[in-house]
Amino acid sequence: MVKIQQFFVKYQKIILSLNTVLILLAEAAKWLFHINAAYQVLMLVVGVIGLIPILLTAISSLKVKLVSIDVLVSLAVIGAIIIGEFNEAAIVTWLFALGDVLEELTLKKTRKAVSDLTKMAPRTALVLQDDGTTEEEDVDFIDPGEKILIKTGDQVPVDGKIVSGSGYLNEANVNGESKPADKKQGDQVYAGTILEDGTLTVETTAAGDDTTFGKIIEMVEEAQDSKSHTEKLINRFSKYYTPAVLVIAIIVGLITRDFKLAITVMVLGCPGALVIGVPVSTVAGIGNGAKNGVMFKGSQVMDAARKIDEIAFDKTGTLTVGHPEVNKIEVLSGNKDEVVNLAANIESQSNHPLAKAMAKLSGQKIDQIETKTVKGKGMIADLDRERYYLGNLALIEENTFANPKLTQVVNKLSNLGNSVVVLANSDQSKLAIFGIKDRLRSEAEIALMQLKQLGIKKLVMLSGDNQETAQQIAADLPIDEVHGQMLPADKAQFVKQEQENGHHVTFIGDGVNDSPALANADVAIAIGSGTDVAVDVSDIVLVKNDLRKIAYALSISKRTVLNMNENIVIALLTVLLLFIGLFAGYVEMASGMFIHEFSILVVILNGMRLIRNRRKVDNHQFPDKEKDLALNM
């Protein structure tokens, strides 16, 4: 039986297409060529083919003591065949198969990105031996306390503490921050991060699956498994609907001794509109979202989204653009254009992210600059027999002299959340300070205002950056809470804690480091420009990277679920009226079938109402200065 079920699942779409062709041929035989025998035979063939997978599923559900809609449909189709209503059997099974295909198309999700994440995990490490040599070993066999050598460009293979050396680590895989971290002796490092500059010797504290990166993978896989068994709305409802119709049919048969009437009850009670109504609403709602840059991964996502009352945002790459830019320039001495251009040309010699931000300020190109890097501090440049220092305050004070005004400006910019770079020559006759920081997305403020207006009670920002910098970023936003220095596990734990406190939580992020929190949230939303892993574990993807689409996603979710419920009501009301008409003597099999099929058309048309290009925005909903942005929501 299992092999037969697998066959029908594997070729589900082909079988549906075949049955569609056979139904069309049957209708042509009846209405064009008036060959009723051919019509009956073709409809019987469709009914039997369509019945097999439904009947097998019904048997499986009965084995676990579940009376599903498959049981009712199977009995109704068998009964219809017995009393010679082959067209009814064909249409019911065809509609049922169509509903399954539509639902499958919307719920299909891939785990490819999660397997890619697993491949990203470091596999080997250079272990330092007692004689000073190194030996490559599998990370699963490395014990705490062993010392690991890490060179420029290498991926850190273990969690540990630096015992010698210094360098810049790209920690985006762990904390999501785009700015490389300056690491020195005594600092903690994490597996999966990349050493962009320097050489480190690290004492292992955790390796393999026990590392922070290993736990990211584990949490994502566990949370995805727990979500993959979400029960379909239609099956939850059928728990009560199906037994009720069966009981009514049995009672009618026992009282009237009329087998045909009992079968008619099951046939008319067969939920054709109910079966097709939910998938139609789902496809229409998801289609609406796709047209507007929002990708939903199934109807259960929409059902969960309408209950959301708290949204937690990652900072870097989600609320901010994820690329540092020069935010402030203070020239204390020298010609501003000349000094800025000089600094930009010097920084163009470096690949550091802060240097790339400053290099964009370059005007006229200067070719004769000779530079060298001072690890952890900046750069020294020689031009026209004059030496320039470009880097942090320590580099300037060590090579020139302490300047109280310079220190004051540096501290001021630092307190505003900037990374500070200073340019000075030996006598500070040319002196400039550059404040560099990641900037908010242009639509971030209005997007969060829209969420407040939709009734979201709590907006939270979670960041791997320090608390002060995170607070500065959030200062211009309607954020209720800000939490800094959050590792991936901390973000995931925050989501779980809020859920335990009774909140329905959405998490919005873009990076590998966000994936545990995304996977554990009630609804996970990924920025489309984010990593494959973040997109894969999410329930909703903002394809156009526009945060204003969050409010749209929540709105269309509510409308879609409402539409589903309307279709259920229409389907049930139709069945109720058919039963009343049947027992009152006004409805027979033929007229009942006409009403039955008409109700299917009604729910399809009702579902199609969801297909609109844009969501309406009330004039009073947004202040005038924001209305233009809102119209693009």
Side-chain angles (χ1 to χ4, degrees):
M1 189 173 78
V2 174
K3 290 185 177 180
I4 298 174
Q5 283 181 303
Q6 290 175 342
F7 172 83
F8 276 94
V9 169
K10 183 177 180 180
Y11 298 103
Q12 185 182 44
K13 295 176 184 177
I14 295 175
I15 293 171
L16 176 62
S17 300
L18 172 63
N19 280 348
T20 303
V21 172
L22 291 177
I23 288 175
L24 292 174
L25 289 175
E27 295 294 343
K30 180 178 180 179
W31 299 107
L32 295 180
F33 303 105
H34 306 290
I35 308 174
N36 191 59
Y39 172 78
Q40 295 291 346
V41 170
L42 288 172
M43 284 299 190
L44 176 60
V45 170
V46 172
V48 172
I49 293 174
L51 173 63
I52 294 173
I54 302 172
L55 182 60
L56 293 176
T57 304
I59 294 171
S60 298
S61 67
L62 288 174
K63 286 181 178 179
V64 295
K65 299 179 180 180
L66 174 64
V67 184
S68 66
I69 279 184
D70 300 270
V71 175
L72 177 59
V73 172
S74 297
L75 292 175
V77 171
I78 292 172
I81 292 174
I82 290 173
I83 63 177
E85 295 290 343
F86 302 142
N87 60 322
E88 173 68 13
I91 294 299
V92 168
T93 56
W94 182 81
L95 287 170
F96 202 80
L98 177 62
D100 279 348
V101 169
L102 290 175
E103 189 73 0
E104 176 63 22
L105 289 174
T106 62
L107 295 176
K108 187 177 181 181
K109 294 173 67 174
T110 177
R111 290 188 172 217
K112 180 178 180 298
V114 175
S115 64
D116 290 343
L117 173 60
T118 305
K119 294 175 184 177
M120 288 171 57
R123 296 297 182 189
T124 60
L126 290 176
V127 181
L128 280 171
Q129 307 299 309
D130 293 336
D131 59 1
T133 61
T134 60
E135 184 175 328
E136 188 173 12
E137 291 185 19
D138 191 299
V139 293
D140 291 329
F141 299 109
I142 295 175
D143 297 319
E146 291 193 70
K147 291 182 173 59
I148 308 299
L149 179 65
I150 306 166
K151 302 176 182 179
T152 299
D154 288 348
Q155 189 178 35
V156 178
V158 297
D159 285 0
K161 184 171 67 174
I162 299 174
V163 293
S164 68
S166 62
Y168 285 94
L169 274 172
N170 183 336
E171 297 184 315
N173 282 350
V174 173
N175 63 18
E177 298 306 317
S178 57
K179 183 175 69 175
D182 183 7
K183 296 287 186 175
K184 55 186 180 301
Q185 186 173 341
D187 288 343
Q188 183 76 23
V189 297
Y190 301 100
T193 58
I194 298 172
L195 183 62
E196 293 191 344
D197 182 37
T199 302
L200 304 176
T201 301
V202 173
E203 183 177 337
T204 303
T205 57
D209 293 338
D210 296 326
T211 64
T212 301
F213 195 75
K215 289 176 181 177
I216 289 177
I217 298 172
E218 182 182 356
M219 284 187 288
V220 170
E221 292 176 336
E222 286 180 356
Q224 271 212 312
D225 287 340
S226 67
K227 278 187 170 185
S228 63
H229 304 292
T230 304
E231 193 176 20
K232 295 180 181 179
L233 175 64
I234 193 68
N235 283 339
R236 292 202 301 269
F237 181 80
S238 70
K239 179 180 178 181
Y240 306 101
Y241 178 84
T242 304
V245 174
L246 285 175
V247 169
I248 293 172
I250 292 171
I251 292 173
V252 168
L254 292 174
I255 293 175
T256 64
R257 305 288 183 176
D258 187 339
F259 179 72
K260 182 176 181 179
L261 180 61
I263 293 297
T264 302
V265 169
M266 280 195 292
V267 169
L268 297 185
C270 186
L274 190 62
V275 169
I276 198 70
V278 171
V280 165
S281 297
T282 299
V283 171
I286 291 176
N288 186 316
K291 287 182 179 180
N292 289 277
V294 178
M295 184 177 75
F296 291 93
K297 297 184 180 179
S299 58
Q300 81 280 5
V301 175
M302 294 179 163
D303 190 38
R306 68 188 179 91
K307 304 172 185 175
I308 294 301
D309 61 359
E310 177 177 346
I311 298 180
F313 295 85
D314 170 53
K315 178 181 74 70
T316 304
T318 302
L319 288 175
T320 67
V321 296
H323 303 290
E325 294 185 356
V326 177
N327 179 58
K328 187 72 174 178
I329 301 174
E330 294 278 356
V331 178
L332 301 186
S333 57
N335 179 273
K336 181 176 181 178
D337 292 340
E338 181 182 343
V339 172
V340 170
N341 186 58
L342 177 60
N345 272 274
I346 294 173
E347 289 285 38
S348 66
Q349 309 293 316
S350 172
N351 289 322
H352 192 284
L354 298 184
K356 291 179 179 178
M358 287 185 58
K360 295 178 182 177
L361 303 174
S362 177
Q364 184 177 357
K365 187 175 180 181
I366 303 174
D367 295 320
Q368 293 80 26
I369 301 178
E370 296 181 5
T371 63
K372 68 176 181 178
T373 300
V374 180
K375 189 177 295 185
K377 294 182 179 180
M379 301 176 68
I380 296 176
D382 292 310
L383 176 65
D384 296 334
R385 299 182 180 180
E386 188 167 8
R387 176 156 288 186
Y388 296 90
Y389 305 93
L390 183 64
N392 58 27
L393 184 60
L395 177 70
I396 305 304
E397 291 183 341
E398 286 175 9
N399 292 280
T400 60
F401 55 87
N403 183 331
K405 187 174 182 181
L406 170 62
T407 303
Q408 180 182 359
V409 175
V410 169
N411 289 337
K412 177 183 176 182
L413 292 178
S414 296
N415 291 336
L416 292 174
N418 292 277
S419 297
V420 179
V421 176
V422 182
L423 171 70
N425 57 359
S426 300
D427 61 1
Q428 294 190 6
S429 59
K430 293 179 181 177
L431 181 61
I433 306 100
F434 301 84
I436 304 171
K437 72 178 188 179
D438 201 358
R439 61 181 175 85
L440 285 172
R441 290 182 180 271
S442 59
E443 78 280 6
E445 184 177 1
I446 185 174
L448 270 60
M449 289 176 63
Q450 289 172 353
L451 294 173
K452 284 287 188 181
Q453 291 162 352
L454 280 177
I456 302 300
K457 298 176 182 178
K458 190 175 180 181
L459 298 177
V460 182
M461 187 177 83
L462 306 178
S463 174
D465 215 333
N466 64 69
Q467 184 69 22
E468 185 177 77
T469 300
Q471 290 279 12
Q472 289 293 335
I473 288 289
D476 297 327
L477 298 173
I479 293 283
D480 299 303
E481 290 183 15
V482 178
H483 299 275
Q485 297 177 316
M486 300 283 279
L487 290 174
D490 299 324
K491 295 178 182 179
Q493 183 57 40
F494 177 86
V495 170
K496 291 179 181 178
Q497 185 61 52
E498 292 300 286
Q499 289 169 331
E500 290 174 5
N501 292 337
H503 291 286
H504 295 277
V505 184
T506 283
F507 185 84
I508 304 174
D510 74 315
V512 170
N513 63 293
D514 297 323
S515 50
L518 285 166
N520 281 283
D522 294 292
V523 174
I525 301 179
I527 303 297
S529 59
T531 63
D532 286 344
V533 176
V535 171
D536 185 64
V537 302
S538 66
D539 301 303
I540 300 173
V541 180
L542 306 182
V543 180
K544 297 182 179 179
N545 305 322
D546 188 342
L547 294 179
R548 288 166 294 177
K549 298 297 182 182
I550 302 170
Y552 165 79
L554 298 182
S555 176
I556 193 63
S557 294
K558 292 179 180 179
R559 290 167 54 201
T560 301
V561 173
L562 176 62
N563 194 272
M564 291 178 189
N565 293 333
E566 289 171 350
N567 281 348
I568 290 173
V569 170
I570 291 171
L572 293 179
L573 187 59
T574 300
V575 172
L576 178 61
L577 292 175
L578 283 173
F579 279 175
I580 293 174
L582 178 64
F583 294 123
Y586 294 108
V587 174
E588 295 181 355
M589 179 70 75
S591 58
M593 268 304 298
F594 175 79
I595 297 172
H596 189 275
E597 301 306 317
F598 181 74
S599 70
I600 293 173
L601 177 61
V602 170
V603 297
I604 290 175
L605 293 176
N606 186 52
M608 299 299 285
R609 291 192 304 112
L610 290 170
I611 301 179
R612 295 175 183 172
N613 290 330
R614 292 190 183 273
R615 172 179 175 267
K616 293 181 180 179
V617 180
D618 296 328
N619 290 333
H620 68 274
Q621 191 176 7
F622 302 100
D624 290 341
K625 67 178 182 178
E626 297 160 352
K627 201 177 296 177
D628 289 340
L629 290 174
L631 289 172
N632 290 321
M633 189 171 65

